[in-house]
Amino acid sequence: MTCNVRSHAIRLGSALFVALMLVAPTSMVAEADEKLITGLDQSVDESGYSVRFDLNGAAETRLLRLVNPDRVAIDFIDTLPVVPIVTPPDNAFVATVRHGLAASDRYRFIYELKQDAVSSIERQARSGGEIVKLTIGNAANVVPSPEPVADAAPAASQEAPAPRRDIEADRDLIIVIDPGHGGVDNGAVSKSGTYEKEINLAAAFSLRDALLTHPRVKVVLTRESDVFIPLDERAAIGRREQAHLFVSIHADSIRAAGLRGATVYTLSENASDELSRQIAATENAADRFAGAQWQRSAPDVVDILVDLTRRETVSFSEHFAASLVEDLARNDVRLIKNPKRSAGFQVLMAPDVPSVLVEMGFLSNREDEKLLTDAAWRADVSEAIADAIVGFFRGEQAARASGTE
């Protein structure tokens, strides 16, 4: 007996997309021939777990097997979903699904397995597009796909686990570093007169130098001197550079002078806690220094693709932030309690660039201020962050852990 699962939200998402195309201006209709996943249907039967992707055209796909933990992934090349992705129904093979941009031209669905399984892909033409069906089950019921399987599960003694996100071999890893505040915007100022804008710039230079010790890494700073850059423009720099990651560097101040340690923030409509709300409010207030030329609000964006892309970008940012917190702790960098937090930081709002904001410490705390003004300490922390970034994107940490380097 087959158990089909299609949520009302999925139907609504498709309806919204169709409606949007009907009323969209000419500039948006021009994008209507982009490859999209317009429907998603999950089912469970004797063969195992299946998911059907309805596309508005033929899309190139790639099937992967990832390890530690065991996962099956499917990439859609130059294709984006315009439907919500729902939790898999109860089944014997798939525990969870994660999804998001794996590269600028590749959208990935990752299915974490409950037990050893094989996977197959079937393709079928349909009116106005194509159906791609992914099935995950045991070898008795599922014939493995004849398509090439990349990153096949290796013997632990021979190969490292697959990288957490693919970067093409012929392309540099592009990191945009954003030293917070600058110019007329001093940011936080300690009781002894230390300016946050100066700490942020010094730390950004240090992180840039640490990243450039790794091969094939390009680093761009949103500012390289004491100048004011509006928040939207900082995010726009990340988009123009087609950055793999945007890192905003800060060292804030808070009324609780005893609070100290680093924090990693991601974007969220609702702050994860009161401290995050206060920090975001402080950082977002930076644009009060912007002149009239920066006060004009950008027109509302109604394209559903932008909203969905932002959601998946935030999802990827969350995974990186969690990994960065782990790496900082492993390198003995002091962290506050619950160091991975989220809030509505305007500087993190680029819809297609994974972004995090790193508060290295608090200038309102004397011990943190001593560290933040210490070039050697900044260099150590920068090295830890740089290693975490490159390790996350290229799997270097996994390779070192397995002893294959």
Side-chain angles (χ1 to χ4, degrees):
M1 177 178 180
T2 300
C3 173
N4 290 309
V5 178
R6 177 183 289 271
S7 71
H8 172 71
I10 292 179
R11 292 194 297 271
L12 180 59
S14 297
L16 283 172
F17 174 75
V18 172
L20 179 62
M21 292 300 102
L22 291 175
V23 301
T26 304
S27 61
M28 291 177 60
V29 174
E31 305 295 328
D33 59 351
E34 290 191 13
K35 285 177 284 188
L36 306 170
I37 299 172
T38 58
L40 186 150
D41 208 0
Q42 302 179 91
S43 62
V44 178
D45 59 21
E46 62 277 3
S47 297
Y49 164 84
S50 296
V51 54
R52 163 180 155 160
F53 301 94
D54 293 346
L55 290 85
N56 68 341
E60 180 184 352
T61 61
R62 187 174 66 147
L63 188 62
L64 305 92
R65 180 63 178 266
L66 310 176
V67 296
N68 295 336
D70 287 339
R71 292 153 291 160
V72 169
I74 181 172
D75 285 352
F76 289 86
I77 311 302
D78 290 322
T79 305
L80 284 173
V82 291
V83 290
I85 315 302
V86 297
T87 302
D90 185 44
N91 69 94
F93 294 97
V94 173
T96 60
V97 59
R98 292 190 293 108
H99 54 101
L101 292 169
S104 60
D105 63 345
R106 185 161 62 252
Y107 200 91
R108 174 171 295 177
F109 293 83
I110 302 176
Y111 296 90
E112 185 170 345
L113 302 181
K114 295 180 179 179
Q115 60 174 296
D116 189 37
V118 297
S119 56
S120 69
I121 287 181
E122 299 176 31
R123 315 179 79 94
Q124 177 184 343
R126 69 177 181 90
S127 177
E130 181 184 37
I131 296 171
V132 174
K133 182 180 180 182
L134 169 66
T135 301
I136 301 173
N138 59 43
N141 295 319
V142 179
V143 178
S145 174
E147 293 190 20
V149 179
D151 297 331
S157 61
Q158 296 177 346
E159 294 186 47
R164 281 174 264 189
R165 188 181 185 194
D166 294 337
I167 296 297
E168 295 84 347
D170 60 347
R171 186 181 174 201
D172 289 346
L173 176 61
I174 303 172
I175 308 299
V176 170
I177 304 173
D178 171 47
H181 307 285
V184 295
D185 176 16
N186 294 323
V189 182
S190 74
K191 289 183 177 180
S192 64
T194 300
Y195 284 7
E196 181 190 358
K197 65 178 182 179
E198 297 173 356
I199 295 296
N200 296 343
L201 186 59
F205 285 142
S206 182
L207 178 56
R208 178 196 61 186
D209 294 344
L211 281 165
L212 292 178
T213 64
H214 295 272
R216 302 302 305 273
V217 175
K218 175 185 176 182
V219 179
V220 176
L221 271 64
T222 58
R223 67 178 181 95
E224 297 186 4
S225 60
D226 186 17
V227 296
F228 174 79
I229 307 290
L231 299 176
D232 286 348
E233 175 59 18
R234 294 170 187 264
I237 292 171
R239 298 196 71 201
R240 287 198 296 269
E241 295 293 336
Q242 297 184 325
H244 293 98
L245 182 68
F246 178 96
V247 182
S248 192
I249 301 292
H250 290 261
D252 216 314
S253 179
I254 198 74
R255 290 181 180 178
L259 186 64
R260 60 175 305 206
T263 318
V264 180
Y265 289 98
T266 54
L267 179 66
S268 174
E269 291 184 7
N270 300 311
S272 58
D273 55 89
E274 179 59 20
L275 173 63
S276 300
R277 187 197 65 77
Q278 292 180 25
I279 296 292
T282 300
E283 302 301 353
N284 291 343
D287 272 2
R288 68 188 184 278
F289 297 101
Q293 73 272 26
W294 297 109
Q295 298 296 344
R296 296 187 298 271
S297 297
D300 290 339
V301 178
V302 297
D303 191 348
I304 193 172
L305 290 179
V306 172
D307 179 59
L308 289 168
T309 300
R310 178 181 284 114
R311 269 188 250 166
E312 308 323 323
T313 301
V314 170
S315 175
F316 184 85
S317 302
E318 287 284 342
H319 292 302
F320 170 73
S323 176
L324 177 57
V325 166
E326 292 177 2
D327 291 335
L328 291 177
R330 189 161 41 246
N331 282 276
D332 297 324
V333 176
R334 185 186 180 98
L335 303 166
I336 70 168
K337 185 178 180 180
N338 301 322
K340 188 179 84 65
R341 304 188 181 209
S342 58
F345 292 94
Q346 189 174 342
V347 75
L348 305 182
M349 287 187 176
D352 50 357
V353 179
S355 306
V356 296
L357 185 147
V358 179
E359 291 277 2
M360 299 177 297
F362 292 91
L363 286 172
S364 47
N365 180 275
R366 291 182 179 179
E367 288 80 6
D368 268 7
E369 182 183 4
K370 289 178 183 178
L371 295 177
L372 291 164
T373 54
D374 184 340
W377 180 86
R378 292 196 304 265
D380 288 343
V381 173
S382 295
E383 182 179 354
I385 295 175
D387 289 347
I389 291 171
V390 177
F392 183 87
F393 282 89
R394 291 185 171 154
E396 292 180 3
Q397 290 174 334
R400 285 197 294 271
S402 67
T404 59
E405 285 193 337

